[in-house]
Amino acid sequence: MHPPRGWSLVPWVSIAVLALPVLAGLAGVIAPAFGYMPALGGHAVTLDAWRATLGWPGLPAAIRLSVVTGVTATALSLTLTILIVAAWQGTRSFTWVTRALAPLLALPHAAAAFGLAFLIAPSGWMARAVSPALTGWDRPPDLLIVNDPWGLALVAGLVIKEVPFLLLMTLAALGQSDSLRSQLVARSLGYGRVTGWLKTVLPRVYPQIRLPVYAVLAYSMSVVDVALILGPTRPPTLAVQILDWMTRPDLSMRFQAAAGAVVQLALVLGVLGLWRLGEHGVARWGRVWVANGGRGVLADHSLRPLAAMGALLIGGAVALGLAGLVVWSFTTMWRFPDLLPQAFGLRNWTGQMGSLGPITRDTGLIALGATAIAMALSVSVLEAEARGHKTHAIALIYLPLIAPQIAFLPGLASFALTLGLDGSRVAVMALHLVFVLPYVYLSLADPWRAWDARAGLSAQALGAGPWRVLWAVRLPMLARPLLIAFAVGFATSVAQYLPTLLIGAGRVTTVTTEAVALASSGNRRLIGVWAVVQMALPMVVFALALVLPALLFRRRQGMRIT
């Protein structure tokens, strides 16, 4: 029986959901960059916005910061990811690392950044742990650690969030590279564990994670919320400066913001091109390195502990940072250099209850709506693929991840303002969907494709049609990965800062926008309260995703094959 023709349209609907807002946003940026925006009185093409942007004294430093921090964070994240997998794949330790991925992925970037800031600040836990015994400090030292002018704190904040993402993408690629057998053959020929993996597995894995790496590079160069919390301020990164121009009361600054967004887009595209050239150079050098036959056995003695140390540092920084957020949210008095507060209380929480309730409700509703639609589209695309309607154009699913948010969201916000669509929950939810859908699809794709089709054939042999196979067999058997994908989508929506800020127009706020808005206040107690809520929302959904399958199938042991 031939599948219904409507299935062939499903992938294109999803691509349209992703691509149209990005393309519309880019168009909405390019026209104002050249002075054309009738709603703001721009009826003629001019270069005034470009003169203002290029004449801004901080532009060279902002560009340098964006490029250096973005490339450094991406290179460190990729190197550490490869090192962890090469050194520990197939071991019990690696299994524990993979189990820790889900909560790390659920953690919003802003919450992780706040946790890191509370940990490394001059009055943070690291300084308190060694003071005054080792440092002699009885008051916080006058050191610029957070918001340092070199962007080191920003790089650290990006690395602790991007390594788990790249690990997840690498794990998905390993399943298609026969990595364990290749590693076994390499070791039987006398190669060290790390060297053997780099020479036999990496050349097949990297092409599969290339797009996620590009997404990390584009995100790291243009991130706003993490840069507002950890990044330099004088000048800030280019993305933060564009947001500043975009949100000023003087609406004429939007022309300059549009020109800055085009500069940001060109910057990301240029660096992506250079990264691609760098890949060719590394590949050429790698072929020579593989051919020289070096076994690299001794390198394992240093590289394996180095990889373990990197994984432990990331896990430890995240865990201590989040613990710091929780402690600060209940703190009423905490003098330096005491390791723990002198007094705890609920005053910080009770003072925020008036706004916590409605904002948390809106955050949850927006995330639930965007994730539910993303789940429906992802399942439809994957089912269409299973029924023979696969298209390579689905690679466009990475478009919202690779195109810098700050490059097209200002244009989209202008369109929404012109059409009167800004400032509504539906508009914010629709825009969240653009960023939620890629993550849901990527989380679900491998388990969906790995499903044993023989179960479906058995059901068909018993008279079940394609729809009944889907609803009664496939979806229940894939309940766990479906719930995990839902949790990933929910966490992605909760973490969205820039889309909520620009499309919400101040009338729709989420826990993320509230938490980031407090970053400049320096009030750690309030930041702790909002960051804990921001962290707790996706964590609760992830916990439900892990617990529900166990409860639903506690009397059906055969369902554990997923």
Side-chain angles (χ1 to χ4, degrees), residues 87-308:
W88 295 97
Q89 188 195 1
T91 66
R92 186 175 297 178
S93 303
F94 190 71
T95 304
W96 282 104
V97 170
T98 57
R99 288 177 179 172
L101 281 180
L104 287 175
L105 286 170
L107 186 66
H109 280 81
F114 278 127
L116 182 65
F118 284 13
L119 187 65
I120 64 175
S123 58
W125 255 348
M126 288 181 65
R128 292 172 185 269
V130 295
S131 300
L134 299 181
T135 63
W137 296 335
D138 56 4
R139 63 184 61 188
D142 186 17
L143 298 175
L144 193 59
I145 299 175
V146 179
N147 307 124
D148 63 285
W150 304 280
L152 299 179
L154 174 59
V155 170
L158 290 169
V159 168
I160 63 174
K161 274 299 294 176
E162 300 308 337
V163 167
F165 172 67
L166 289 178
L167 264 178
L168 180 69
M169 295 295 105
T170 305
L171 289 176
L174 287 176
Q176 303 171 43
S177 60
D178 201 10
S179 58
L180 289 175
R181 189 180 301 178
S182 300
Q183 198 175 16
L184 190 63
V185 171
R187 294 185 66 186
S188 69
L189 292 174
Y191 285 88
R193 176 185 284 271
V194 176
T195 303
W197 194 96
L198 293 177
K199 289 190 173 184
T200 61
V201 181
L202 183 61
R204 279 173 285 162
V205 166
Y206 186 78
Q208 298 180 59
I209 64 170
R210 177 177 287 124
L211 286 177
V213 171
Y214 290 175
V216 169
L217 179 57
Y219 176 82
S220 300
M221 288 181 61
S222 58
V223 64
V224 172
D225 51 356
V226 179
L228 283 170
I229 298 167
L230 295 172
T233 55
R234 293 183 180 177
T237 60
L238 182 58
V240 172
Q241 184 59 44
I242 294 169
L243 178 65
D244 179 55
W245 289 332
M246 185 71 190
T247 53
R248 285 188 187 179
D250 182 2
L251 294 179
S252 66
M253 293 300 292
R254 296 203 174 193
F255 293 101
Q256 189 170 339
V262 175
V263 172
Q264 178 74 68
L265 178 63
L267 197 62
V268 170
L269 292 178
V271 172
L272 284 173
L274 290 175
W275 186 279
R276 181 72 178 131
L277 288 176
E279 288 176 356
H280 287 297
V282 172
R284 181 173 298 179
W285 171 82
R287 283 192 287 272
V288 175
W289 181 58
V290 170
N292 71 16
R295 300 298 195 265
V297 176
L298 294 178
D300 282 356
H301 298 305
S302 57
L303 292 179
R304 295 194 75 197
L306 189 63

Side-chain angles (χ1 to χ4, degrees), residues 112 114 124 161 164 205 260 368 379 402 435 507 522 551 555:
F114 278 127
K161 274 299 294 176
V205 166
L368 285 174
V379 168
I402 293 178
F435 302 100
R507 298 192 291 278
L551 293 176
R555 294 181 181 176

Side-chain angles (χ1 to χ4, degrees), residues 44 62 85 129 152 174 250 270 303 331 334 382 412 420 435 443 460:
V85 179
L152 299 179
L174 287 176
D250 182 2
L303 292 179
T331 295
W334 194 354
L382 290 167
L412 212 54
F435 302 100
S443 301
Q460 287 179 325

Side-chain angles (χ1 to χ4, degrees), residues 191-558:
Y191 285 88
R193 176 185 284 271
V194 176
T195 303
W197 194 96
L198 293 177
K199 289 190 173 184
T200 61
V201 181
L202 183 61
R204 279 173 285 162
V205 166
Y206 186 78
Q208 298 180 59
I209 64 170
R210 177 177 287 124
L211 286 177
V213 171
Y214 290 175
V216 169
L217 179 57
Y219 176 82
S220 300
M221 288 181 61
S222 58
V223 64
V224 172
D225 51 356
V226 179
L228 283 170
I229 298 167
L230 295 172
T233 55
R234 293 183 180 177
T237 60
L238 182 58
V240 172
Q241 184 59 44
I242 294 169
L243 178 65
D244 179 55
W245 289 332
M246 185 71 190
T247 53
R248 285 188 187 179
D250 182 2
L251 294 179
S252 66
M253 293 300 292
R254 296 203 174 193
F255 293 101
Q256 189 170 339
V262 175
V263 172
Q264 178 74 68
L265 178 63
L267 197 62
V268 170
L269 292 178
V271 172
L272 284 173
L274 290 175
W275 186 279
R276 181 72 178 131
L277 288 176
E279 288 176 356
H280 287 297
V282 172
R284 181 173 298 179
W285 171 82
R287 283 192 287 272
V288 175
W289 181 58
V290 170
N292 71 16
R295 300 298 195 265
V297 176
L298 294 178
D300 282 356
H301 298 305
S302 57
L303 292 179
R304 295 194 75 197
L306 189 63
M309 189 183 304
L312 287 173
L313 276 176
I314 290 175
V318 172
L320 286 175
L322 298 184
L325 293 175
V326 175
V327 171
W328 269 108
S329 72
F330 290 100
T331 295
T332 55
M333 181 181 294
W334 194 354
R335 295 193 186 96
F336 189 88
D338 292 344
L339 193 59
L340 292 173
Q342 286 79 39
F344 291 96
L346 295 174
R347 188 176 62 194
N348 304 326
W349 286 87
T350 54
Q352 297 297 307
M353 279 302 169
S355 50
L356 265 177
I359 292 177
T360 304
R361 179 201 60 205
D362 284 353
T363 305
L365 288 176
I366 291 169
L368 285 174
T371 308
I373 298 171
M375 288 292 294
L377 288 172
S378 297
V379 168
S380 300
V381 170
L382 290 167
E383 182 64 12
E385 178 184 310
R387 298 185 185 196
H389 295 292
K390 184 177 181 180
T391 171
H392 294 294
I394 200 66
L396 288 172
I397 204 162
Y398 283 100
L399 185 59
L401 305 184
I402 293 178
Q405 288 189 2
I406 196 67
F408 69 91
L409 285 179
L412 212 54
S414 299
F415 274 126
L417 177 66
T418 304
L419 299 175
L421 297 176
D422 63 326
S424 70
R425 295 183 187 86
V426 174
V428 174
M429 185 190 300
L431 196 54
H432 279 206
L433 173 63
V434 174
F435 302 100
V436 170
L437 180 54
Y439 285 103
V440 170
Y441 177 84
L442 293 172
S443 301
L444 191 56
D446 281 315
W448 193 276
R449 291 166 183 154
W451 179 68
D452 190 347
R454 289 175 298 180
L457 292 175
S458 299
Q460 287 179 325
L462 294 172
W467 282 105
R468 193 171 178 194
V469 170
L470 173 65
W471 288 101
V473 181
R474 193 164 198 165
L475 291 180
M477 290 181 72
L478 292 173
R480 183 174 290 114
L482 282 166
L483 288 169
I484 292 293
F486 187 92
V488 169
F490 188 91
T492 304
S493 176
V494 171
Q496 294 303 313
Y497 170 71
L498 203 55
T500 311
L501 182 72
L502 294 182
I503 303 299
R507 298 192 291 278
V508 179
T509 56
T510 63
V511 292
T512 298
T513 56
E514 287 297 309
V516 177
L518 288 168
S520 59
S521 71
N523 190 330
R524 296 188 185 186
R525 295 170 181 81
L526 294 187
I527 291 174
V529 169
W530 286 96
V532 166
V533 175
Q534 189 200 19
M535 171 182 67
L537 273 175
M539 289 291 185
V540 168
V541 177
F542 257 101
L544 289 174
L546 295 176
V547 170
L548 279 178
L551 293 176
L552 291 173
F553 305 131
R554 62 186 184 282
R555 294 181 181 176
R556 302 173 69 179
Q557 299 297 318

